[in-house]
Amino acid sequence: MSEYIKILIVEDEKIVAIDLKRRLTKLGYQVTGMAASGQKALALIDQELPNIVLMDIHIQGDIDGVEAATILQKTHSIPVIYLTAYSEEKTLTRASATKPYGYLLKPFSDRELHIIIQVSIERYQSDILLIKNEQHFRLALEAARLGTWETTADSHEIFMGKSPEGNLQPISDWKSFFRTINENDRQKVSEFIDKLRGNKGSTAEIEFRVTPDAGKIYWYKLYGKSFKNRNAGKHQIVGVLQETTESHLAKDRLAQAATVFEYASEGIIILNKDRQFSCANNAFYEITKFQPRNLRNKELPFLTNRSLGEDSYHNIWQGINKSGHWQGEIKAFKRNKETMYAWLTIGFIPADVSDEKQFVVMISDITAIRKTREQLTQIAYYDNLTNLPNRMLIMDRLKQALAKASRDASLLGILFIDLDNFKRINDTLGHRHGDSMLCFVSQRMLAVLRESDTLGRLGGDEFIVIVTNVESRDALIKVAEKILECLSSPVVISNMEVVPSCSIGISVYPDHSNHPDDLLQMADTAMYEAKNKGRNSYAFYHPSLTQQAVHYMTRERELHHALMKNEFLLHYQPQYSLAKEKITGVEALIRWQHPVKGLLSSAEIIPVAETSRLIVEIGNWILTEACRQLNQWRAEGLNDLRIAVNISIRQLADKHLQKFIADLLQQYSLPAHLLELEITESCLQDELIYITCLEQLKDLGIPISIDDFGTGYSCLSSLKNLPIHRLKIDQSFVKNIPHDNNDCAIAAAILALAQKLNLQVTAEGIETYDQIDFLSNLGCDELQGYLLSKPVGPEQIPYLIKKLPGRLKALKF
């Protein structure tokens, strides 16, 4: 055996090392190398692994033999034999800590050397075998997810190793582990151990719960045997610890599955490998009215080739064989021949789960759901008020109509219809009567359309007509005129005659587009053009309309940014009192300092803003800035100066306007009569919400003026009943005074009416001295126009207040 043993000599005395090599060679051993230091020894071991290392303790280098052996122990499993001349207690203690295989004091004989090498080799082989067996045992325990435990009859100390994650973890502190055992199980665990201690030769097992973390529960099973250890001479108790959490969970899942199977509202059926009935739950028998005796060893009646049809039967089972499951709706018959619609889910149970492969079938009676689905289809595709196709169905029919028009190379028309002033009907008569109006209108339009045409309701007061097989645009005009005409007759709603009208936008395939969404959008855009033309009319789409819409969208986005970046400012145009011969007020006019286009007027702002809620935000900014500026002028001594601000109809509809203005007056310490609000005549059309707002503003003490008076359709009773303080004659009536007799007559009539109603009058657009002379002779109160001053920045107003009266005194009125 010695011829196979390789030995490394670690000795710093060269003569001793050579002599030792000679003696070992003589004894039949192979010397792999000689090292005078620990570092050299470790390097030689890395080059060629010896079977034994003969180590002198006191050697050259930074580490001695004991330290080298310690390092060697951590990296390689090689027996070390110390050959040294030192035997003092301290050296022996250090050397023993490395667990050497031998310790020879120099000098020693060849026989002593040979014996200790042979003994070390045999011990090493025994240690390797023991380690291998222990490792095998440990791996077996880990694979089985088992731990070990032991105790003795005369000791209450327990050593336990548990393996919750597959790795053995020794538990030397039994008391700490015992505290993790569920409090309901601690007593029976203690009794279990005491029983084994008191009954030699007995075996037992117990299962208990451990809760090491809050909310987590682990299950363990202890197996124990009590016996007398012959080697130790003591009564010993040993056993294994197994985690059974997964087993418990599996049992719970089985119990849950059994409960679901028994009490589920869906029918559950198990089929054998031949697809024949095996068993079912109570719900199945309740749903289908079948009994076990009707089905045993048979196919389910509704899953047969005959009931499903050859193709369906083949597709279902082919799908199951391919993917392991199938689900879908079938028509079936109950035992009593009653028809039902069923939703089936079929799953494949592999053979490794049970003794042989099986199938599970779940059946739900969806007859009621199917009826509900049909009702929902009506709801989903038809308007519930007029019973006309809704947007979803309209778009589907439009796609089909476009496909047919493409095949037939024919024209197709889209008419987008919006009722005029429909909001007034809802606001005045109520939504119930508004709904009645929509039903009347839809029936009238249906009556004049062809059966091949489609009339649908998009929502609100918007309708769509799809006109197919169109020969020319003239045919679409005739359809539009028919619709306008059929709506021109009065409709009696709530004992009131209402004459409906509509605006119609028309787009044409293929002239405008071949995409359904684009055609609908184009017809919508054309409808707004019809409204702009005065309503109760139609308009064809033209690309310029889209350009205009894009301009409005772009400008609206720019206005949003301008408001955020504080790019707006106010200019002020003086209002001159003829009686007081001074500037008594100014009108605030918004301007936009555009980063690219420079200073823009209100005409570039207000029309776009009024098409969205942005007008409210901009209007509130104007009110705030005007009040701030008026406060500043008052601080400079202009205490009686009045400021006029234009208010849009959307602002009047804002229920927070009155409080907003009240807060501004308080914030800037302004008398209410110095803030005048200018409204347009459209606000006087008996809209309750606007009238209420005007009354609230009157209660604040805010004077109200009607801007551009005479250009709208004011009801004269509004002037008498509403809190109006001032009329502003529109510049279109002032421009040709005194040369145009009609303008002179209109201006004179307005002034006479105002005087009778005790209203103030301001004339806009003053550009000539003759206009001033004419209006002053008729008793006009105030003048405003470019002749007096263009709108200017706030810093110029104090200057104009001082200089303008002197300049006007030179005139003779």
Side-chain angles (χ1 to χ4, degrees):
M1 177 170 53
S2 60
E3 61 186 11
Y4 299 107
I5 299 174
K6 299 178 181 179
I7 299 177
L8 173 67
I9 300 172
V10 184
E11 171 65 60
D12 60 348
E13 294 186 18
K14 190 171 182 180
I15 294 176
V16 174
I18 292 173
D19 179 63
L20 185 57
K21 178 180 180 181
R22 179 186 61 78
R23 294 168 66 183
L24 290 170
T25 303
K26 182 180 177 182
L27 291 171
Y29 299 108
Q30 178 183 348
V31 177
T32 61
M34 297 184 294
S37 66
Q39 290 88 346
K40 177 66 174 177
L42 295 174
L44 288 175
I45 289 172
D46 288 338
Q47 294 176 8
E48 184 176 4
L49 202 65
N51 298 111
I52 288 182
V53 176
L54 300 180
M55 180 76 73
D56 189 10
I57 292 179
H58 293 280
I59 55 178
Q60 299 174 5
D62 297 332
I63 59 175
D64 63 6
V66 174
E67 291 171 319
T70 301
I71 296 173
L72 183 61
Q73 235 180 14
K74 295 178 180 178
T75 56
H76 299 86
S77 176
I78 302 174
V80 174
I81 300 173
Y82 289 113
L83 306 179
T84 179
Y86 298 91
S87 61
E88 66 273 14
E89 187 67 25
K90 183 177 180 181
T91 301
L92 287 173
T93 301
R94 289 183 62 228
S96 297
T98 63
K99 298 180 180 179
Y101 277 67
Y103 198 103
L104 280 179
L105 289 175
K106 300 175 182 179
F108 47 80
S109 65
D110 290 352
R111 180 176 177 79
E112 290 175 317
L113 179 63
H114 179 63
I115 290 172
I116 200 167
I117 291 174
Q118 292 299 314
V119 170
S120 297
I121 289 296
E122 290 179 5
R123 177 187 160 191
Y124 177 70
Q125 290 174 344
S126 296
D127 289 347
I128 292 298
L129 181 61
L130 179 62
I131 290 171
K132 182 177 180 181
N133 290 336
E134 288 179 349
Q135 185 180 34
H136 178 79
F137 179 65
R138 180 175 61 82
L139 291 174
L141 288 176
E142 290 179 1
R145 299 180 65 83
L146 296 174
T148 61
W149 72 282
E150 63 177 293
T151 186
T152 59
D154 56 352
S155 171
H156 289 281
E157 293 295 325
I158 293 178
F159 180 82
M160 179 178 291
K162 70 182 179 70
S163 176
E165 302 298 335
N167 299 315
L168 293 176
Q169 300 176 6
I171 301 176
S172 56
D173 185 0
W174 167 252
K175 292 180 180 179
S176 298
F177 178 73
F178 189 76
R179 284 195 293 268
T180 67
I181 297 176
N182 187 281
E183 59 183 8
N184 296 322
D185 295 341
R186 290 174 191 166
Q187 181 63 33
K188 66 178 184 180
V189 171
S190 297
E191 292 174 354
F192 166 80
I193 295 174
D194 291 341
K195 178 183 177 181
L196 288 173
R197 282 195 178 112
N199 297 283
K200 190 191 309 183
S202 64
T203 60
E205 65 180 57
I206 187 176
E207 196 164 19
F208 61 94
R209 291 161 291 180
V210 173
T211 54
D213 303 313
K216 289 188 176 181
I217 297 178
Y218 297 94
W219 282 88
Y220 287 93
K221 181 174 281 190
L222 275 177
Y223 300 89
K225 181 175 176 62
S226 173
F227 66 98
K228 184 174 182 179
N229 190 329
R230 295 178 181 177
N231 296 327
K234 294 182 179 180
H235 179 196
Q236 193 173 12
I237 302 154
V238 298
V240 293
L241 169 71
Q242 181 182 28
E243 185 189 351
T244 58
T245 306
E246 287 297 328
S247 175
H248 260 274
L249 292 176
K251 289 179 181 178
D252 290 343
R253 286 193 291 267
L254 285 173
Q256 292 167 1
T259 303
V260 170
F261 182 82
E262 188 63 28
Y263 297 106
S265 58
E266 294 86 1
I268 304 175
I269 312 101
I270 304 298
L271 304 181
N272 62 21
K273 61 183 178 62
D274 298 320
R275 306 172 188 171
Q276 294 178 341
F277 179 86
S278 178
C279 64
N281 65 350
N282 291 332
F284 168 75
Y285 301 121
E286 181 66 27
I287 291 171
T288 64
K289 309 305 179 185
F290 284 101
Q291 294 300 323
R293 63 178 180 275
N294 307 131
L295 303 170
R296 192 166 287 114
N297 298 325
K298 296 180 181 178
E299 284 189 281
L300 290 177
F302 45 80
L303 275 182
T304 63
N305 190 331
R306 180 179 177 183
S307 63
L308 291 172
E310 183 69 33
D311 292 340
S312 296
Y313 181 84
H314 176 75
N315 292 336
I316 288 175
W317 291 109
Q318 186 181 48
I320 295 171
N321 291 332
K322 184 177 181 181
S323 62
H325 64 88
W326 179 89
Q327 62 179 3
E329 181 181 332
I330 66 167
K331 182 179 180 180
F333 293 93
K334 300 181 182 181
R335 173 67 176 171
N336 58 7
K337 306 302 181 182
E338 182 182 339
T339 303
M340 75 170 182
Y341 291 92
W343 182 263
L344 289 187
T345 301
I346 307 175
F348 172 66
I349 305 174
D352 55 356
V353 176
S354 58
D355 294 336
E356 59 180 25
K357 73 175 183 178
Q358 295 176 314
F359 302 92
V360 59
V361 182
M362 295 186 66
I363 179 172
S364 301
D365 185 354
I366 60 169
T367 306
I369 296 175
R370 185 180 176 89
K371 292 179 180 178
T372 304
R373 186 192 305 165
E374 293 173 355
Q375 296 172 354
L376 290 175
T377 300
Q378 175 70 21
I379 295 172
Y381 292 104
Y382 290 88
D383 176 51
N384 62 350
L385 176 64
T386 62
N387 206 34
L388 295 175
N390 62 11
R391 177 185 288 272
M392 187 179 296
L393 185 54
I394 289 169
M395 296 308 295
D396 182 67
R397 290 191 180 179
L398 178 55
K399 291 175 184 177
Q400 296 179 25
L402 284 171
K404 185 176 185 302
S406 176
R407 292 193 301 269
D408 299 343
S410 62
L411 296 179
L412 180 145
I414 304 294
L415 276 63
F416 195 108
I417 303 166
D418 185 271
L419 300 185
D420 297 330
N421 301 314
F422 180 72
K423 183 177 182 298
R424 291 185 183 176
I425 296 174
N426 276 336
D427 291 345
T428 55
L429 301 180
H431 286 275
R432 182 170 63 86
H433 294 300
D435 290 346
S436 298
M437 177 75 164
L438 292 173
C439 292
F440 278 123
V441 167
S442 63
Q443 291 303 313
R444 284 190 177 183
M445 288 191 290
L446 277 175
V448 298
L449 294 174
R450 302 172 302 173
E451 289 187 5
S452 59
D453 299 331
T454 297
L455 172 66
R457 183 185 176 209
L458 290 180
D461 60 342
E462 295 178 338
F463 297 84
I464 285 291
V465 177
I466 303 172
V467 185
T468 57
N469 300 320
V470 179
E471 296 179 357
S472 65
R473 289 195 174 202
D474 290 341
L476 294 174
I477 292 174
K478 289 180 180 179
V479 175
E481 289 177 342
K482 281 183 179 180
I483 293 173
L484 292 172
E485 183 180 356
C486 79
L487 297 184
S488 62
S489 327
V491 175
V492 178
I493 298 178
S494 185
N495 297 323
M496 292 181 60
E497 279 194 353
V498 179
V499 180
S501 69
C502 66
S503 300
I504 304 175
I506 307 173
S507 61
V508 183
Y509 164 85
D511 297 359
H512 297 142
S513 176
N514 60 2
H515 194 279
D517 291 328
D518 292 343
L519 286 169
L520 192 64
Q521 182 60 50
M522 290 171 177
D524 187 10
T525 302
M527 181 273 295
Y528 279 103
E529 177 64 14
K531 284 194 179 294
N532 292 334
K533 292 192 323 185
R535 304 175 189 268
N536 196 30
S537 62
Y538 62 86
F540 277 90
Y541 171 78
H542 189 274
S544 62
L545 298 179
T546 297
Q547 295 170 5
Q548 181 181 356
V550 170
H551 168 74
Y552 265 70
M553 289 180 62
T554 303
R555 179 51 52 86
E556 182 179 349
R557 186 172 63 252
E558 288 182 327
L559 290 177
H560 271 290
H561 293 160
L563 193 60
M564 293 170 57
K565 296 178 181 179
N566 201 26
E567 294 175 357
F568 294 133
L569 62 147
L570 292 184
H571 280 190
Y572 303 89
Q573 189 170 31
Q575 296 171 332
Y576 183 80
S577 172
L578 291 168
K580 297 179 181 179
E581 297 184 348
K582 68 174 184 178
I583 295 175
T584 53
V586 294
E587 180 180 1
L589 300 168
I590 190 170
R591 297 292 184 264
W592 179 9
Q593 190 63 53
H594 195 282
V596 177
K597 299 178 182 179
L599 191 66
L600 301 180
S601 70
S602 58
E604 298 288 339
I605 304 170
I606 302 303
V608 176
E610 282 186 334
T611 63
S612 69
R613 288 289 301 175
L614 191 60
I615 189 62
V616 176
E617 297 179 52
I618 293 177
N620 289 344
W621 179 88
I622 294 173
L623 281 168
T624 303
E625 176 61 18
C627 290
R628 185 202 63 79
Q629 184 60 59
L630 186 58
N631 174 265
Q632 181 176 329
W633 282 331
R634 285 171 59 80
E636 296 171 1
L638 304 179
N639 294 320
D640 297 328
L641 187 65
R642 184 186 75 252
I643 193 165
V645 177
N646 290 279
I647 297 294
S648 76
I649 194 169
R650 284 181 177 265
Q651 281 179 281
L652 283 179
D654 185 357
K655 61 182 178 180
H656 303 295
L657 178 64
Q658 187 264 354
K659 184 178 184 305
F660 180 77
I661 292 177
D663 291 343
L664 285 177
L665 294 176
Q666 182 178 3
Q667 179 183 353
Y668 292 107
S669 304
L670 299 178
H673 72 275
L674 293 183
L675 177 62
E676 185 174 284
L677 302 182
E678 297 185 2
I679 62 174
T680 60
E681 291 186 76
S682 59
C683 299
L684 305 178
Q685 302 301 310
D686 295 328
E687 293 284 0
L688 182 59
I689 187 171
Y690 307 141
I691 296 172
T692 302
C693 184
L694 292 176
E695 294 290 351
Q696 292 173 344
L697 293 172
K698 176 189 175 184
D699 293 339
L700 280 179
I702 302 289
I704 307 294
S705 67
I706 300 179
D707 194 19
D708 301 335
F709 186 77
T711 59
Y713 304 94
S714 295
C715 176
L716 294 182
S717 64
S718 298
L719 301 181
K720 179 183 70 172
N721 298 324
L722 292 179
I724 306 301
H725 172 75
R726 181 186 307 275
L727 302 179
K728 295 190 73 175
I729 304 176
D730 186 66
Q731 59 184 341
S732 63
F733 302 130
V734 176
K735 182 178 181 180
N736 294 319
I737 290 177
H739 307 294
D740 188 301
N741 293 332
N742 291 331
D743 287 344
C744 290
I746 291 173
I750 293 173
L751 285 164
L753 176 64
Q755 290 166 6
K756 292 294 184 181
L757 295 175
N758 197 27
L759 300 176
Q760 296 287 307
V761 177
T762 299
E764 297 180 298
I766 301 298
E767 297 181 354
T768 68
Y769 294 116
D770 289 339
Q771 292 169 345
I772 295 177
D773 185 51
F774 177 83
L775 292 169
S776 64
N777 289 331
L778 292 176
C780 186
D781 300 290
E782 288 185 347
L783 305 174
Q784 179 180 342
Y786 277 22
L787 180 63
L788 305 176
S789 172
K790 293 182 179 180
V792 296
E795 70 283 352
Q796 297 185 47
I797 292 300
Y799 171 80
L800 288 174
I801 289 176
K802 294 178 181 178
K803 297 297 182 181
L804 185 59
R807 191 175 68 192
L808 293 178
K809 282 181 181 179
L811 301 176
K812 295 181 181 180
F813 303 130

